[in-house]
Amino acid sequence: MPKISPLMAAPPLLFAVLAGLFIFGMGRDDASRLPTAQAGKDAPSIAALTPLGDLAPLSDEMLDQGGVKLVNYWASWCAPCRAEHPQLEAMAQSGITIYGINYKDEAPKALGFLNELGNPYAAIGQDSPGRTALEWGVYGVPETYVIDAKGKITYRFAGPITQDVLDKYIKPEIAKAAAN
């Protein structure tokens, strides 16, 4: 009877482990929800941002004062950013303050994006090198952070905000942050 090498069992075992991980990942309530180490902490400084054209510049003071606000990282080259834009416009029109941070983009293209789709942002900063995004823990664009009245990050959503995401996650998190 021929002996079976332990190496022969490795590929099926590896496949079974990977399949188990995939099945576990698909079973999560919200696969796009990524944890953030920033939750409960002060929003990182945005002093390194540069103005975007002649639009109202974003400052650290804006994040520390007033009520609940959103910070949305976006770029003109980002297709999901284009997809979420109508939700941002609707939120801004309903009175939610949204600040934008343009990520690794060219100013003329970013301004063209806003001219075409509208500008939902109360103020904007440009993060061309992406250094500020690193401090915030941004994985990629779009990403949206809920900031409470004290300037603390209470929630982060990675990915485009759809109507479903807005109703299930963003609005409840805004309400929770406003209640604190």
Side-chain angles (χ1 to χ4, degrees), residues 7 10 12 18 24 37 42 50 53 67 75 81 87 106 118 122 130 163-164 172-173 179:
L7 292 176
L18 284 174
F24 172 76
D42 290 337
T50 58
C81 296
Q87 279 66 249
E106 297 173 22
Q163 187 62 50
D164 187 50
E173 290 296 335

Side-chain angles (χ1 to χ4, degrees), residues 99-121:
Y99 297 121
I101 299 180
N102 182 244
Y103 176 74
K104 291 188 175 185
D105 207 350
E106 297 173 22
K109 290 179 180 177
L111 291 167
F113 179 94
L114 295 174
N115 285 335
E116 177 187 345
L117 299 177
N119 183 359
Y121 305 113

Side-chain angles (χ1 to χ4, degrees), residues 2 16 69 73 124 137 168 174 177:
K69 73 261 329 148
Y73 276 84
I124 298 179
K168 283 185 179 176
I174 289 171

